[in-house]
């Protein structure tokens, strides 16, 4: 049977890693969002040079396993830094390298997300904006961007969940996240299954919380996409057309 | 009020507009008719700078020049003095009916919020949608969306409003409500340039009909002249073909 006392002990020890895992996820996201947004714009507006660079960057990062990226950053950066600032480079908290890798990684996928999200807003709305006299930047800020961000949210959720899961690899860079702590506990007590089950539950909770947060953001900011349920139907036919046809509601007044 | 001379537009090697003249006077309701592919949509889009015409003179307000050489200022001025109602409504999906109408007042006209709201409510009332002011476009029927589109245009008090087939994306039973709104605008003296295939409606509300084929104006004149006494053979043929459906 499972040793529940030990599991509780692991749970207690591992909880210290939760903020570290969350930090990796949140910091990387916060750094990656603006960068990838700019990258997406460079692509969309075919900015000379920038467009090529971003294209290359994205296929470069997406075409290599994250573990390779971790190994490269973790072996290259400290010595690279050392050549500038000397030995103190090796004393830098390794979590900073985690931020770098996961940001680099998230930027690649987020760029594509923003690019397609910005394209989901049809050109007609842009034209309507110009015809009421709005400037391009007003249309972008007030019409296109808000809609693009909402349509990016589902993909943003997926990328965040991927980030949560990938952050488990940070232990390779000797970051003390939940995986690292659980591994240590497991090895110390020779109870691997128990420790990893606890770990599993932690990731489940974190992922679920992240999903919940994004879902509510989507509900709140995407409320303009929701058809309000009409409360009174004069006959069955109307009910059918309300549920099958998203764009038209037959109830007039 | 608006005078267009020799408007030309080509896509690649295809000349779609082969030199169009158009005169719009205050209070005019002009309907442009013609077979599919005649260039009606292209004409409206080029007049209104949604697309940049290759050449053609324009006189409007204090703008006097050629489409090929309009300055930024002139383009802006032009856009602010005209309205456009789209075939697909093109409402701002992230904004309520009221916000759709307020948007141009707030941004282009820089109106204070309260005042913009009052103006927008007036416009919504004119199209009969006051009680729908807080609905988002997805929550409105096609006919209602188009009426919001019209409200959005009239709220800015443009000198002339262009309509590109405002009812052709609508289910037949919703066409009437939109035409009714346009009819009342016409009676209130709104200057309008309309592209439509609704011939009866065109005949009823227009004081001038322009018949276009293959990028040229074949015939133009009063509704009565064009519909009842068409001069050109091509016009007669077109009217016979289209009116037979009624
Ligand atoms: N952006 C474009 N690029 C290339 N060709 C175009 C473009 N826009 C329009 N055309 C061509 O111009 C011609 C006229 O099109 P337009 O849409 O103006 O006709 P229309 O009179 O409005 O027709 P309909 O009654 O079907 O709406 C068509 O042959 C069309 O293929
Ligand atoms: Mg057309």
């Amino acid at each position: 049977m499972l040793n529940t006392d030990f599991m509780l002990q692991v749970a207690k020890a591992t909880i210290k890693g939760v903020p570290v895992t969350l930090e990796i996820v949140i910091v990387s996201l916060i750094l990656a969002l603006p960068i990838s947004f700019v990258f997406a714009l460079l692509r969309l507006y075919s900015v000379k040079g920038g467009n090529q660079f971003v294209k290359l960057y994205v296929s470069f990062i997406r075409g290599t396993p994250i573990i390779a990226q971790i190994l490269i950053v973790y072996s290259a950066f400290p010595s690279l830094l050392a050549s500038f600032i000397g030995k103190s480079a090796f004393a830098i908290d390794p979590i900073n390298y985690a931020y770098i890798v996961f940001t680099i990684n998230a930027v690649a996928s987020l760029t594509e997300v923003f690019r397609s999200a910005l394209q989901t807003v049809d050109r007609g709305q842009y034209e309507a904006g110009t015809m009421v006299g709005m400037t391009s930047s007003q249309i972008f800020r007030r019409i296109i961007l808000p809609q693009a961000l909402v349509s990016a949210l589902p993909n943003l959720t997926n990328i965040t969940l991927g980030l949560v899961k990938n952050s488990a690899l940070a232990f390779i860079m000797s970051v003390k996240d939940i995986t690292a702590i659980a591994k240590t506990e497991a090895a110390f007590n020779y109870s691997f299954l128990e420790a990893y089950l606890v770990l599993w539950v932690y990731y489940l909770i974190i992922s679920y919380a992240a999903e919940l947060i994004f879902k509510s953001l989507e509900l709140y900011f995407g409320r303009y996409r929701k058809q309000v349920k009409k409360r009174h139907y004069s006959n069955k036919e109307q009910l059918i057309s309300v549920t099958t046809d998203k764009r038209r509601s037959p109830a007039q007044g | 009020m608006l005078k267009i001379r020799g408007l030309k537009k080509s896509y690649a090697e295809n000349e779609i507009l082969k030199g169009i003249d158009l005169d719009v006077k205050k209070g005019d309701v002009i309907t442009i008719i013609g077979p599919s592919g005649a260039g009606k949509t292209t004409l409206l889009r080029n007049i209104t700078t949604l697309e940049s015409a290759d050449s053609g003179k324009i006189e409007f307000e204090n703008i006097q020049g050629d489409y090929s050489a309009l300055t930024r200022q002139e383009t802006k001025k032009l856009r602010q003095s005209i309205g456009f109602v789209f075939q697909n409504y093109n409402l701002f999906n992230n904004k309520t009916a009221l916000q759709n109408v307020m948007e141009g007042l707030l941004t282009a006209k820089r109106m204070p919020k309260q005042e913009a709201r009052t103006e927008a409510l007036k416009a919504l009332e004119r199209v009969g949608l006051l009680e729908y002011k807080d609905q988002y476009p997805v929550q409105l029927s096609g006919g209602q969306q188009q009426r919001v589109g019209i409200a959005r245009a009239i709220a800015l008090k443009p000198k002339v409003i262009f309509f590109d087939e405002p009812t052709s994306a609508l289910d037949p039973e919703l066409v009437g409500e939109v035409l009714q709104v346009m009819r009342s605008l016409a009676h209130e003296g709104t200057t309008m340039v309309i592209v439509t295939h609704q011939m009866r409606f065109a005949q009823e509300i227009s004081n001038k009909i322009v018949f276009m084929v293959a990028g040229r104006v074949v015939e133009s004149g009063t509704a009565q002249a064009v519909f009842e006494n068409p001069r050109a053979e091509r016009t007669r043929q077109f009217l016979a073909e289209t009116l037979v459906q009624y």
Side-chain angles (χ1 to χ4, degrees):
Chain A
M1 272 310 290
L2 293 173
N3 180 349
T4 46
D5 282 350
F6 172 63
M7 285 175 84
L8 220 61
Q9 180 197 322
V10 176
K12 265 190 210 147
T14 313
I15 209 160
K16 290 198 207 80
V18 171
V20 178
T21 296
L22 291 182
E23 255 168 56
I24 295 174
V25 172
I26 293 167
V27 171
S28 307
L29 263 185
I30 288 174
L31 291 175
L33 285 172
I35 300 173
S36 50
F37 189 74
V38 172
F39 277 16
L41 292 181
L42 290 179
R43 285 282 271 122
L44 276 177
Y45 294 100
S46 304
V47 178
K48 252 209 187 115
N51 187 10
Q52 276 324 96
F53 166 77
V54 175
K55 243 172 153 166
L56 219 69
Y57 174 90
V58 170
S59 52
F60 217 73
I61 299 299
R62 289 177 130 195
T64 52
I66 186 156
I67 189 111
Q69 294 160 17
I70 290 172
L71 292 172
I72 289 171
V73 168
Y74 194 47
S75 50
F77 260 86
S79 27
L80 199 75
L81 251 154
S83 65
F84 288 108
I85 60 171
K87 280 229 171 55
S88 58
F90 296 104
I92 287 176
D93 187 340
I95 198 168
N96 292 304
Y97 300 122
Y99 294 155
I100 293 172
V101 180
F102 291 114
T103 301
I104 287 176
N105 203 266
V107 164
S109 22
L110 283 173
T111 298
E112 292 303 292
V113 168
F114 282 136
R115 192 164 75 98
S116 61
L118 285 165
Q119 284 172 317
T120 59
V121 187
D122 61 300
R123 200 176 155 71
Q125 291 184 57
Y126 179 87
E127 292 186 343
T130 62
M131 280 297 116
V132 295
M134 296 169 81
T135 63
S136 301
S137 76
Q138 284 171 333
I139 299 170
F140 186 77
R141 270 187 291 113
R142 302 172 61 103
I143 311 294
I144 297 177
L145 188 59
Q147 293 180 57
L149 290 180
V150 169
S151 69
L153 273 173
N155 283 323
L156 208 60
T157 314
N158 288 336
I159 287 173
T160 307
L161 294 183
L163 202 52
V164 170
K165 288 179 267 182
N166 280 337
S167 74
L169 294 168
F171 78 86
I172 296 171
M173 299 178 274
S174 39
V175 173
K176 298 271 177 288
D177 72 330
I178 50 180
T179 304
I181 297 174
K183 267 174 73 76
T184 317
E185 290 290 319
F188 200 68
N189 297 282
Y190 288 103
S191 299
F192 293 95
L193 180 60
E194 276 100 335
Y196 294 155
L197 279 176
V198 171
L199 185 62
W200 188 67
V201 171
Y202 270 117
Y203 279 115
L204 221 57
I205 294 173
I206 293 174
S207 300
Y208 186 67
E211 219 174 321
L212 222 61
I213 291 169
F214 278 103
K215 261 272 144 5
S216 27
L217 286 177
E218 208 183 320
L219 271 178
Y220 180 74
F221 289 107
R223 61 192 184 282
Y224 65 84
R225 302 188 297 190
K226 284 272 161 335
Q227 179 123 52
V228 169
K229 292 248 155 52
K230 296 277 186 313
R231 273 179 210 84
H232 306 291
Y233 303 103
S234 53
N235 58 40
K236 257 198 179 131
E237 208 177 282
Q238 286 201 344
L239 180 67
I240 290 163
S241 52
V242 165
T243 45
T244 53
D245 190 344
K246 277 193 137 81
R247 296 198 59 85
R248 294 183 219 288
S249 85
Q252 303 276 319
Chain B
M1 175 179 69
L2 171 66
K3 194 168 161 187
I4 307 282
R5 287 290 174 271
L7 190 68
K8 287 190 178 177
K9 176 72 179 181
S10 303
Y11 293 110
E13 269 108 69
N14 292 333
E15 193 169 48
I16 306 296
L17 300 178
K18 299 170 178 156
I20 303 275
D21 299 344
L22 184 72
D23 286 286
V24 184
K25 293 189 190 66
K26 192 164 184 301
D28 268 354
V29 176
I30 299 177
T31 301
I32 301 170
I33 60 173
S36 186
K40 305 181 296 296
T41 297
T42 309
L43 176 62
L44 291 201
R45 292 177 60 85
N46 280 277
I47 293 177
T48 55
T49 73
L50 272 175
E51 271 167 58
S52 43
D54 300 333
S55 63
K57 293 222 174 330
I58 172 172
E59 278 177 37
F60 180 55
E61 302 274 271
N62 45 18
I63 302 165
Q64 270 210 19
D66 198 281
Y67 269 106
S68 56
L70 283 183
T71 64
R72 250 196 144 85
Q73 275 312 313
E74 286 170 333
T75 305
K76 193 173 155 196
K77 177 86 187 86
L78 184 65
R79 285 176 179 172
Q80 284 190 354
S81 317
I82 60 179
F84 202 101
V85 174
F86 296 85
Q87 185 171 348
N88 302 311
Y89 339 128
N90 288 342
L91 295 186
F92 307 130
N93 288 330
N94 58 331
K95 309 222 168 248
T96 63
L98 180 63
Q99 290 169 336
N100 262 277
V101 182
M102 285 173 68
E103 195 59 21
L105 297 170
L106 292 173
T107 54
K109 299 240 153 150
R110 297 165 176 275
M111 214 178 251
K113 206 158 188 172
Q114 241 349 290
E115 199 184 333
R117 196 184 146 84
T118 314
E119 286 301 311
L121 288 173
K122 268 192 233 161
L124 280 176
E125 184 160 28
R126 281 174 76 185
V127 301
L129 285 178
L130 204 50
E131 53 190 316
Y132 291 85
K133 66 182 193 329
D134 296 321
Q135 308 277 46
Y136 288 100
V138 287
Q139 299 159 352
L140 299 172
S141 72
Q144 292 167 336
Q145 288 189 55
Q146 191 57 293
R147 282 148 71 195
V148 174
I150 294 174
R152 178 171 67 181
I154 59 177
L156 293 154
K157 304 203 162 70
K159 295 285 185 303
V160 44
I161 306 179
F162 293 83
F163 295 77
D164 185 19
E165 300 201 28
T167 59
S168 63
L170 295 175
D171 292 342
E173 73 271 19
L174 302 178
V175 168
E177 57 185 272
V178 173
L179 295 185
Q180 191 48 45
V181 166
M182 292 172 67
R183 200 171 276 132
S184 69
L185 290 183
H187 289 152
E188 289 159 22
T190 313
T191 311
M192 310 200 269
V193 177
I194 305 164
V195 171
T196 184
H197 289 288
Q198 303 276 339
M199 292 301 156
R200 283 282 147 75
F201 177 71
Q203 186 168 11
E204 173 202 329
I205 73 159
S206 318
N207 65 338
K208 193 173 161 194
I209 301 284
V210 174
F211 176 57
M212 251 181 99
V213 179
R216 283 185 214 284
V217 174
V218 171
E219 179 161 359
S220 71
T222 62
Q224 197 180 11
V226 175
F227 278 103
E228 284 160 27
N229 256 322
R231 279 175 289 122
E233 177 55 33
R234 189 71 187 80
T235 318
R236 243 170 269 149
Q237 203 183 331
F238 173 78
L239 289 174
E241 279 163 18
T242 37
L243 289 173
V244 102
Q245 302 162 11
Y246 293 90

